[in-house]
């Protein structure tokens, strides 16, 4: 597919940009933070997003979605990145819906995806257990008991944990940490007996939490896909999620860069604007180059999802690794080039570096994905 | 069958029949391409044969109009031709500054007479061209050039010196920036002229490069003559043409950044080996290679995106400004990795056991990529000023 946006996509991008800048920008994120909001986003704004169809933007029309594909969702996520918009777009629309789409039965998809698309349900993936993304190391146990499974263990960094109605919990029904075989995905409702949800305060002021599952009992019907066979679908869904987060990083980094470039034209020292200093000009030009490269790989990777390309894993790790690298550089330079004002909580630029590091970490950072990229390339 | 499919089949059959076996092996280094000219350097007799056959179909410049010696192919057909050539590993039949630099400028700015005179000879590899831009005191600051051309009615008399003129000692003609007027700003008064190097007023002195070869020269003009009919565009308007040509030169140079056929990672596995998990045994080198391959893939996606945007009528995006800078820096990284990966093998300077020193010589030559055609620093200046709108110091 040609690496260009069609008219429909350009319109989507523009309307998302306008809406998010007005309703869900950095000022709103700051207000949410300062009010100590546990949900971490505004239900009202989320409602409006749902009405625009965003909750089902990548969900096929057959399941009540808009069927714009992941390229469409990626464009919205890019704008969400630019504005640091807090909403369940990532947790539910990008991640959980993809996992359900990959692993769910026809009936589960019909129910759950339709509910997500209608904005009736927030779902979040509970995967990570340690300090790092290491999906195969999952050790949370699910023991079969009659027609039920009993789940015991802990999960970390569950996005929008306080707001979610349902979790997709990755658990081991067999095998040992490190094995592909034996991983299963269970639907666990937020009000399940034995489930404790602890909100965690994260550096990006967004809502995430830890789950403790102490003998949580779910019927076998809550399995997504077959017991022990979740890995392939999960791994594909994680590739999709990584590409979506790369799109968010693209928007975030582009915005941080543009704000910095504007500051270079405004701030005066030594009797001239600091943007006239070549030491800064070249660093800015290099960042511009890196951002253009970043934009290309994100678009190519989004297309790879929609076109069902065989090298999705490679595209995903390339996109996430590159965007982690670029986001890290751009947000760090953004602070440096703002000088002292960049270190203040009052200035907005600090919000970008904070969100960047969290998104970089989620589902594998630069180190994880560059290593995987090399392995996928055979070395 | 679609027309394009038919074209592919015919092209495949023709190439199979006409591309000599000897022209299906990779070039041995940067200087192993065939460049044509009145006295061509022939490393292998098939080079000329291959060039002549391709030129007969206009396929040395497949995208140029037929009237000027081109193939008259549309962009889809050009793509198919290059795919089919790649399929059998066919070399480019002719590689020259006439094709990559002067041709595009003449197609854009030349008079009909000039096009008919010069383009077919470029296409057939009959005349080899060199680029007379840089002077001892006009490098990055090219517009400060001082080579003087005096108007003598039907011709100019040229005096001055050029430097770093690649292949001036092998070239037949030169496209040259000269000053026809000193009264205005430095960008005004520059003219773009063409003239034959085979005349008493032109002397060239080769300069040896760190790669051991002598591809560039000092070029002296002592009352050299240029016919007025070979003034391209109007007198004093040469800077516009010079810049246009530079964009083509930069485009050509940035192509060096394309991914090599055999990935560096694969070569490294062979020379260094894997650990028990199948990863390259040296983890530091592995990271360097992975980052390089990642950047190469991402650069490739960017070339594709900019091409697709242009095809979709969205114009040449700002991203194209990064090509020269990024492509050449990538090529330098690749050459440094070649050294790291191949070790002693890459340090050989001569002899069959080192393939003539191709690796070390290419490595050294690659250092010039970020200097020729406008240095990396100058490219960053251009991005900062034209794209980012940052002010002059
Ligand atoms: C292999 C090779 C082939 C060449 N072939 C040709 C040819 O065929 N024809 C031709 O006309 N020329 C040719 N050139 C010349 C080439 O275009 C010049 O070398 C180039 O433009 C740089 O000019 P310079 O060598 O005078 O370096 P300088 O301009 O003196 O630059 C020296 C250093 O200063 C830096 N610098 C200069 N100005 C600035 C600035 N404003 N801001 C920041 N840094 C700056 C440069 O980036 C560089 O690092 C060739 C060069 C090479 C290396």
């Amino acid at each position: 597919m040609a690496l260009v946006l069609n008219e429909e996509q350009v319109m989507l991008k523009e309307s998302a940009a306008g809406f998010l800048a007005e309703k869900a920008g950095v000022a709103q994120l700051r207000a949410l933070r300062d009010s100590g909001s546990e949900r971490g986003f505004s239900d009202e704004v989320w409602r409006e997003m749902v009405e625009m169809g965003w909750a089902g933007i990548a969900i096929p029309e057959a399941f009540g979605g808009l069927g714009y594909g992941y390229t469409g969702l990626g464009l919205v996520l890019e704008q969400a990145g630019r504005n640091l918009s807090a909403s369940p777009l990532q947790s539910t629309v990008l991640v959980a819906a993809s996992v359900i789409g990959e692993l769910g039965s026809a009936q589960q998809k019909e129910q759950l995806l339709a509910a997500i698309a209608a904005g009736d349900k927030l779902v979040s993936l509970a995967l990570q257990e340690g300090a790092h993304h290491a999906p195969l190391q999952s050790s949370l146990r699910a023991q079969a008991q009659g027609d039920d499974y009993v789940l015991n263990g802990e999960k970390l960094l569950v996005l929008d944990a306080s707001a979610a109605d349902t979790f997709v919990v990755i658990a081991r029904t067999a095998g040992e940490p490190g094995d592909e075989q034996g991983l299963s995905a269970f639907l666990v409702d937020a009000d399940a007996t034995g489930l404790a949800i602890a909100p965690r305060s994260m550096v990006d002021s967004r809502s995430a939490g830890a789950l403790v599952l102490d003998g949580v009992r779910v019927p076998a019907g809550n399995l997504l896909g077959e017991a022990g066979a979740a890995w392939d679908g999960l791994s594909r869904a994680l590739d999709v999620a990584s590409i979506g987060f790369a799109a968010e990083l693209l928007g975030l980094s582009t915005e941080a860069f543009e704000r910095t470039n504007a500051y270079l034209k405004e701030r005066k020292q030594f009797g001239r604007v600091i943007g006239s200093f070549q030491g800064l000009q070249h660093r800015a030009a290099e960042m511009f180059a890196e951002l253009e490269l970043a934009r290309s790989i994100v678009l190519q990777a989004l297309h790879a999802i929609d076109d069902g390309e065989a090298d999705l894993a490679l595209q995903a790790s390339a996109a996430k690794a590159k965007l982690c690298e670029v986001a890290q550089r751009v947000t760090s330079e953004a602070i440096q080039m703002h000088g002292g004002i960049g270190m203040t909580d009052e200035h907005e630029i600090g919000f970008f570096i904070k969100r960047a590091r969290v998104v970089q970490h989620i589902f594998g950072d630069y180190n994880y994905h560059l290593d995987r990229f090399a392995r996928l390339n055979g070395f | 069958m679609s027309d394009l499919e038919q074209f592919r089949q015919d092209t495949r059959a023709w190439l199979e029949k006409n591309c000599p076996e000897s022209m299906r092996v990779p070039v041995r280094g940067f200087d192993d391409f065939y460049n044509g000219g009145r006295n061509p350097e022939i490393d292998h007799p098939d080079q000329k044969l291959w060039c002549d056959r391709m030129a007969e179909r206009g396929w040395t410049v497949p995208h140029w109009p037929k009237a000027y010696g081109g193939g008259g192919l549309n962009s889809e057909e050009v793509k198919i031709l290059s795919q089919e050539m790649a399929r059998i590993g066919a070399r480019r039949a002719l590689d020259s500054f006439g094709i990559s630099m002067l041709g595009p400028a003449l197609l854009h700015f030349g008079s009909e007479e000039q096009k008919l005179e010069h383009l077919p000879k470029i296409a057939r590899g009959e005349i080899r061209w060199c680029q007379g831009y840089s002077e001892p005191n006009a490098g990055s600051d090219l517009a400060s050039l001082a080579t003087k051309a005096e108007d003598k009615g039907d011709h100019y008399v040229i005096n001055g010196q050029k430097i770093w003129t690649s292949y001036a000692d092998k070239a037949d003609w030169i496209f040259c920036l000269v000053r026809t007027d000193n009264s205005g700003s430095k960008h005004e008064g520059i003219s773009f002229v063409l003239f034959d190097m085979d005349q008493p007023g032109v002397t060239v002195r080769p300069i040896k490069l760190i790669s051991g070869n002598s591809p560039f020269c000092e070029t002296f003009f002592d009352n050299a003559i240029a016919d007025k009919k070979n003034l391209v565009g109007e007198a004093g308007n040469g800077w516009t043409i010079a810049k246009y040509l530079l964009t083509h030169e930069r485009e050509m140079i940035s192509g060096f950044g394309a991914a090599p056929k055999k990935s560096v990672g694969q070569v490294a596995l062979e020379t260094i080996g894997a650990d028990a998990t199948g990863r390259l045994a040296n983890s530091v080198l592995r990271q360097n290679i992975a980052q390089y391959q990642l950047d190469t893939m991402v650069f490739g996606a960017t070339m594709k995106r900019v091409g697709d945007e242009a095809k979709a009528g969205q114009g040449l995006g700002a991203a194209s400004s990064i090509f020269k800078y990024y492509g050449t820096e990538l090529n330098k990284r690749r050459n440094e990795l070649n050294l790291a990966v191949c070790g002693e093998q890459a340090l050989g300077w001569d002899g069959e056991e080192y393939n003539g020193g191709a690796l070390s010589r290419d490595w050294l030559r690659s250092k010039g990529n970020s200097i020729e055609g406008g240095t990396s620093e100058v490219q960053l200046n251009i991005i900062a000023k034209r794209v980012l709108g940052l002010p002059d110091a």
Side-chain angles (χ1 to χ4, degrees):
Chain A
M1 203 195 291
L3 286 182
V4 286
L5 299 182
N6 63 32
E7 252 173 68
E8 182 185 81
Q9 290 164 339
V10 172
M11 274 170 55
L12 173 66
K13 181 173 175 163
E14 280 166 9
S15 72
F19 174 82
L20 293 171
E22 191 198 327
K23 300 276 174 80
V26 188
Q28 284 90 345
L29 178 62
R30 181 195 294 277
L32 283 163
R33 179 194 74 175
D34 293 348
S35 72
S37 158
E38 198 167 284
R39 286 172 79 77
F41 60 90
S42 149
D43 281 306
E44 222 169 285
V45 173
W46 172 236
R47 261 292 128 213
E48 286 189 62
M49 292 186 188
V50 170
E51 272 154 34
M52 289 186 287
W54 292 1
I57 193 162
I59 292 175
E61 284 167 286
F63 300 123
L66 282 188
Y68 277 24
Y70 281 93
T71 306
L73 175 56
L75 292 173
V76 174
L77 286 170
E78 183 188 337
Q79 296 310 316
R82 263 189 182 268
N83 294 286
L84 302 184
S85 311
S87 82
L89 271 176
Q90 290 89 347
S91 63
T92 298
V93 182
L94 172 65
V95 183
S98 299
V99 176
I100 294 164
E102 284 293 339
L103 292 173
S105 66
Q107 197 197 347
Q108 284 169 327
K109 284 198 253 188
E110 214 158 287
Q111 276 177 7
L112 291 167
L113 293 183
I116 288 175
D120 294 339
K121 216 181 202 355
L122 294 182
V123 187
S124 186
L125 175 67
L127 169 65
Q128 190 163 327
E129 295 176 7
H132 298 282
H133 175 65
L136 284 175
Q137 296 301 323
S138 298
S139 67
L140 186 146
R141 282 276 158 198
Q143 204 91 45
Q145 282 189 11
D147 287 342
D148 295 341
Y149 283 89
V150 176
L151 281 64
N152 281 293
E154 296 184 13
K155 292 289 183 183
L156 291 173
L157 202 67
V158 180
L159 306 179
D160 294 325
S162 306
D165 304 296
T166 302
F167 299 98
V168 176
V169 178
I170 302 303
R172 261 194 195 284
T173 44
E176 295 303 321
D179 293 348
E180 291 181 7
Q181 278 301 316
L183 283 179
S184 306
F186 291 92
L187 294 166
V188 177
D189 282 334
D191 58 7
T193 312
L195 171 64
I197 305 167
R200 292 274 164 94
S201 166
M202 309 293 294
V203 68
D204 64 347
S205 310
R206 293 284 293 275
S207 169
L211 306 187
V212 179
L213 290 85
D214 183 11
V216 173
R217 180 176 288 272
V218 294
N222 280 23
L223 262 173
L224 283 176
E226 277 178 42
W231 175 246
D232 284 352
L234 175 64
S235 143
R236 257 195 315 280
L238 290 175
D239 285 335
V240 169
S242 293
I243 294 168
F245 280 111
E248 182 183 345
L249 285 174
L250 173 64
L252 180 161
S253 308
T254 308
E255 179 71 20
F257 174 71
E258 287 176 7
R259 288 180 180 218
T260 304
N261 198 41
Y263 190 69
L264 293 183
K265 294 176 193 173
E266 173 194 315
R267 167 75 175 164
K268 280 200 178 132
Q269 282 296 286
F270 300 98
R272 50 191 174 127
V273 293
I274 56 173
S276 65
F277 299 126
Q278 199 179 49
L280 298 186
Q281 288 186 343
H282 283 192
R283 277 152 64 187
E286 283 177 359
M287 283 193 275
F288 169 79
E290 291 292 344
L291 283 166
E292 286 297 325
L293 298 172
R295 176 165 303 284
S296 313
I297 191 63
V298 167
L299 189 56
Q300 180 168 298
L302 287 167
H303 281 184
I305 308 175
D306 288 334
D307 296 349
E309 299 284 357
D311 66 346
L312 182 67
L314 184 75
Q315 298 285 342
S317 279
K320 188 74 195 294
K322 188 70 201 173
L323 268 292
C324 285
E325 179 207 339
V326 173
Q328 176 139 339
R329 176 170 181 174
V330 171
T331 53
S332 299
E333 284 282 56
I335 303 277
Q336 177 66 21
M337 291 187 184
H338 274 84
I341 196 91
M343 288 298 292
T344 63
D345 181 62
E346 191 187 342
H347 200 281
E348 290 189 344
I349 202 71
F351 282 80
F352 287 86
I353 196 169
K354 294 178 187 176
R355 176 64 182 164
R357 293 304 179 276
V358 174
V359 180
Q360 284 170 241
H361 172 87
I362 296 171
F363 302 140
D365 64 2
Y366 169 80
N367 302 304
Y368 177 91
H369 281 287
L370 191 69
D371 175 64
R372 185 166 179 254
F373 176 81
R375 263 189 293 132
L376 291 166
N377 270 298
F379 67 98
Chain B
M1 191 180 330
S2 75
D3 288 353
L4 282 180
E5 206 33 55
Q6 183 69 49
F7 177 78
R8 185 184 292 279
Q9 288 206 356
D10 295 348
T11 302
R12 184 173 295 187
W14 187 87
L15 287 171
E16 280 295 357
K17 186 152 167 269
N18 288 283
C19 181
E21 280 304 326
S22 58
M23 294 294 108
R24 301 184 193 192
V25 292
V27 286
R28 206 166 122 134
F30 198 79
D31 288 322
D32 203 21
F33 283 110
Y34 181 63
N35 309 106
R38 285 177 191 141
N39 306 300
E41 298 169 278
I42 307 268
D43 303 315
H44 192 291
D46 285 344
Q47 283 181 316
K48 179 140 177 30
L49 178 74
W50 176 223
C51 177
D52 287 346
R53 285 180 180 169
M54 287 286 277
E56 202 171 323
R57 319 202 97 201
W59 283 3
T60 52
V61 279
H63 52 296
W64 288 9
K66 282 192 169 155
Y68 309 134
L73 303 188
N74 63 35
S75 61
E76 292 298 321
E77 291 166 336
V78 171
K79 195 160 138 198
I80 290 175
L81 174 60
S82 66
Q83 284 168 347
E84 289 303 316
M85 286 176 66
R87 201 183 63 87
I88 60 169
R91 293 181 184 188
R92 278 198 302 274
L94 177 65
D95 195 65
S96 75
F97 293 168
I99 292 178
S100 56
M101 295 194 231
L102 179 62
L106 275 184
L107 283 167
H108 200 269
F109 295 100
S111 68
E112 189 59 20
E113 193 194 343
Q114 287 167 344
K115 290 182 200 172
L116 288 170
E117 169 67 21
H118 297 295
L119 293 175
K121 291 179 191 163
I122 291 173
R124 292 195 297 265
E126 288 169 11
I127 294 294
R128 184 169 178 182
W129 289 84
C130 65
Q131 177 188 30
Y133 274 34
S134 306
E135 297 179 5
N137 289 315
S140 297
D141 185 13
L142 178 60
S144 67
L145 62 92
T147 293
K148 207 167 105 194
E150 254 180 294
D151 191 337
K152 296 282 183 184
D154 65 346
H155 67 275
Y156 289 105
V157 172
I158 297 166
N159 283 288
Q161 188 200 336
K162 296 289 173 181
I163 195 167
W164 321 131
T165 329
S166 295
Y167 308 109
D169 54 337
K170 316 243 163 65
D172 308 307
W173 278 62
I174 186 167
F175 50 92
C176 195
L177 294 181
V178 294
R179 191 160 288 289
T180 44
D181 187 353
N182 249 325
S183 57
S185 81
K186 66 180 180 181
H187 295 99
E188 293 163 9
I190 294 174
S191 299
F192 191 102
V193 293
L194 318 173
F195 53 92
D196 198 326
M197 304 272 283
D198 186 12
Q199 56 169 305
V202 179
T203 319
V204 295
R205 200 183 296 152
I207 309 170
K208 195 165 175 179
L209 253 63
I210 50 176
S211 58
N213 306 331
S214 306
F216 61 25
C217 303
E218 290 179 286
T219 308
F220 301 92
F221 307 125
D222 182 13
N223 291 326
I225 307 285
D227 222 317
K228 266 251 179 100
K229 70 172 193 213
N230 283 317
L231 167 72
V232 182
E234 279 164 35
N237 268 344
W239 186 244
T240 312
I241 305 172
K243 278 195 301 184
Y244 179 85
L245 185 142
L246 273 178
T247 61
H248 282 273
E249 176 178 11
R250 288 170 185 164
E251 195 180 299
M252 171 201 53
I253 296 173
S254 60
F256 299 161
K261 277 219 173 58
K262 189 167 188 176
S263 81
V264 181
Q266 289 307 318
V267 178
L269 276 183
E270 288 162 21
T271 59
I272 287 172
D275 67 13
T277 68
R279 289 176 171 86
L280 189 65
N282 185 313
S283 61
V284 179
L285 179 59
R286 180 171 180 265
Q287 180 183 347
N288 282 329
I289 296 175
Q291 182 71 51
Y292 161 75
Q293 290 196 190
L294 173 63
D295 288 337
T296 308
M297 174 175 173
V298 171
F299 185 61
T302 306
M303 302 274 256
K304 175 161 168 28
R305 174 165 69 88
V306 170
D308 288 349
E309 284 170 356
K311 263 188 247 160
Q314 299 178 5
L316 203 55
S320 63
S321 65
I322 72 167
F323 286 169
K324 201 284 172 173
Y325 164 68
Y326 209 88
T328 55
E329 294 296 332
L330 263 183
N331 195 39
K332 289 198 296 183
R333 279 163 67 189
R334 174 178 53 178
N335 275 280
E336 287 294 350
L337 285 171
N338 281 347
L339 253 57
V341 164
C342 299
E344 183 266 356
Q345 266 296 306
L347 296 173
W349 182 251
D350 229 331
E352 273 315 308
E353 60 282 18
Y354 295 122
N355 193 22
L359 280 174
S360 66
R361 289 166 191 260
D362 275 359
W363 161 68
L364 287 163
R365 179 62 183 79
S366 73
K367 297 298 178 205
N369 294 163
S370 51
I371 300 172
E372 60 199 313
T375 67
S376 280
E377 291 76 16
V378 165
Q379 299 307 307
L380 292 174
N381 286 346
I382 293 175
I383 296 171
K385 298 204 169 104
R386 303 232 186 97
V387 183
L388 302 180
L390 295 172
D392 276 321

